[in-house]
């Protein structure tokens, strides 16, 4: 079974900005890649703006999953 993925690009603002790609998979997995260094980053390593972006996208994912489950079993 192939897992679908949504990709989002986020560029941090500030002195030490990073260019990040967030890959959210349908099964709940997440991969965060620093596009400058090709390094995989853990959610705990995110800072202010990028952490806020991650949290908002994760909440939206959870809401969509709950709505889909409600529709499936309603």
């Amino acid at each position: 079974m192939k897992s679908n993925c949504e990709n989002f690009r986020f560029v941090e603002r500030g002195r030490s900005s990073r260019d990040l790609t967030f890959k959210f998979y349908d099964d709940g997995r997440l991969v965060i890649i620093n596009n400058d260094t090709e390094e995989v980053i853990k959610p705990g390593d995110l800072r202010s703006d990028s952490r806020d972006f991650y949290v908002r996208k994760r909440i939206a994912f959870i809401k969509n999953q709950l709505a889909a489950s409600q529709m499936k079993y309603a």
Side-chain angles (χ1 to χ4, degrees):
M1 182 173 149
K2 186 173 182 177
S3 180
N4 289 330
C5 174
E6 281 188 85
N7 294 319
F8 297 96
R9 184 175 179 201
F10 185 82
V11 179
E12 293 179 332
R13 292 175 270 184
R15 276 187 294 180
S16 59
S17 64
R18 294 184 291 185
D19 181 6
L20 305 172
T21 297
F22 290 79
K23 294 184 176 196
F24 291 92
Y25 292 89
D26 287 346
D27 61 3
R29 289 183 299 129
L30 168 71
V31 176
I32 306 169
I33 300 169
N34 183 336
N35 294 321
D36 298 327
T37 63
E38 299 295 323
E39 172 185 22
V40 175
I41 298 172
K42 293 184 253 178
D45 295 335
L46 297 173
R47 299 185 292 250
S48 58
D49 290 346
S50 56
R51 181 179 294 261
D52 184 57
F53 177 82
Y54 160 70
V55 168
R56 288 178 190 275
K57 291 296 182 185
R58 180 56 82 184
I59 289 171
F61 171 78
I62 293 168
K63 284 182 178 180
N64 289 337
Q65 292 294 98
L66 287 172
S69 292
Q70 286 177 338
M71 293 300 290
K72 182 178 178 181
Y73 297 109

